[in-house]
Amino acid sequence: MTQGYRLLEADNGAVTRALIFFGFVIAAALSLSVLFAVLVINLFGVPAGNYDFMLMTVVIAACVASPMAGLAAQNQYRVDRYQTTLEAMASTDPLTGLLNRRSFKTLAEEELARMERTRNSVYVALFDLDHFKRVNDTYGHAFGDRVLVSIANLSHAALRGPFDRLGRWGGEEFIILLSEVNQEQAEAVCERLRKRIAGTEVSINGKMTRVSASFGLAKLRPEDGLTACIEKADGYLYEAKNGGRNCVRSEPRIRSAA
């Protein structure tokens, strides 16, 4: 089971900064209260009755609350942006923007739990760029990183929207979760992506290259679990590499008796 990150303790200055912010808010509220009270009294005079006093109190409170609410809203917006950024950093690969290994496993485990209820057919595909070391050795690692980003974008655009989830497994290796497909459909998705990668010329800063990819495909079965499925897919990927690369390998289809 994937574990979440433990909430860390704040640094030693966090309490001091919190108290300073608290004091700033109190001082600002009191200062605004006095300022608006003086303005209201100068404009309308000292309230003579209970109604006028209550009306002045409401006006002053509204004048103080508005900037305080704006300050609180701005602070909350910054906190939300910071939280969203942290969540994105924890769940995505920093180079390609795809799901990282940890978040992909989490999504796959959730899909596995749903499969026990729905019995949907789900496949996992691993694909690896062929001879990618040559790209790095020929053009440099910076160029290689740009190639990885290009392939990630191309692959993401080629998949079936919400039904397929794409992640970077590590290095030049990627992983796909294919939901609600049978084996023939899963193989067709991989084959279509393989052809698109092989037929695309990557051009970056005047340098051009082509890459191909090898695919290994395995069915995700609740009784086996995610780890066993990925190991099977990795085994078929190894077969694809040994079989000449730039191809898709998967478990033999079960043929029904005539």
Side-chain angles (χ1 to χ4, degrees), residues 10-247:
D11 60 79
N12 294 332
V15 174
T16 301
R17 291 193 295 271
L19 290 175
I20 291 175
F21 181 75
F22 177 78
F24 168 76
V25 173
I26 292 294
L30 291 175
S31 299
L32 288 174
S33 298
V34 173
L35 174 63
F36 286 120
V38 171
L39 288 175
V40 170
I41 290 174
N42 286 335
L43 290 173
F44 304 104
V46 178
N50 290 337
Y51 176 79
D52 292 336
F53 177 79
M54 290 298 298
L55 181 61
M56 185 186 76
T57 301
V58 171
V59 171
I60 293 175
C63 293
V64 173
S66 296
M68 292 297 100
L71 181 64
Q74 182 185 32
N75 183 68
Q76 185 60 48
Y77 178 72
R78 293 176 61 187
V79 170
D80 288 344
R81 286 189 63 189
Y82 181 68
Q83 180 65 28
T84 301
T85 302
L86 286 179
E87 291 174 355
M89 290 173 63
S91 62
T92 58
D93 173 61
L95 176 64
T96 62
L98 301 178
L99 297 172
N100 60 20
R101 181 184 288 235
R102 175 180 176 273
S103 56
F104 181 89
K105 283 185 175 181
T106 299
L107 287 173
E109 291 288 358
E110 292 173 356
E111 184 66 34
L112 199 58
R114 282 193 294 270
M115 288 175 62
E116 295 178 353
R117 303 189 305 269
T118 63
R119 296 299 173 182
N120 287 335
S121 180
V122 178
Y123 281 78
V124 170
L126 277 171
F127 73 92
D128 184 275
L129 301 185
D130 300 324
H131 302 298
F132 190 71
K133 185 177 183 299
R134 294 180 185 174
V135 176
N136 284 329
D137 292 344
T138 302
Y139 300 104
H141 289 276
F143 181 85
D145 286 347
R146 297 290 299 275
V147 171
L148 289 175
V149 172
S150 296
I151 296 301
N153 293 337
L154 181 153
S155 301
H156 186 270
L159 295 176
R160 305 172 306 150
F163 296 103
D164 303 328
R165 308 306 296 268
L166 174 65
R168 186 183 180 195
W169 199 239
E172 64 270 21
E173 194 171 35
F174 299 85
I175 190 167
I176 312 171
L177 186 70
L178 301 165
S179 302
E180 300 181 21
V181 291
N182 56 35
Q183 183 169 347
E184 183 179 1
Q185 292 167 332
E187 289 174 353
V189 172
C190 293
E191 184 64 23
R192 183 177 69 247
L193 179 55
R194 182 198 66 79
K195 289 180 179 178
R196 184 165 296 188
I197 292 173
T200 300
E201 186 174 64
V202 181
S203 177
I204 302 171
N205 296 330
K207 300 177 182 178
M208 293 180 293
T209 189
R210 288 183 182 272
V211 293
S212 62
S214 301
F215 288 74
L217 179 69
K219 187 173 184 178
L220 182 60
R221 296 179 172 87
E223 62 270 20
D224 294 336
L226 177 62
T227 300
C229 176
I230 293 175
E231 288 177 353
K232 283 185 178 180
D234 191 52
Y236 292 125
L237 172 58
Y238 184 78
E239 288 184 11
K241 290 287 188 181
N242 286 341
R245 295 182 169 83
N246 193 22
C247 59

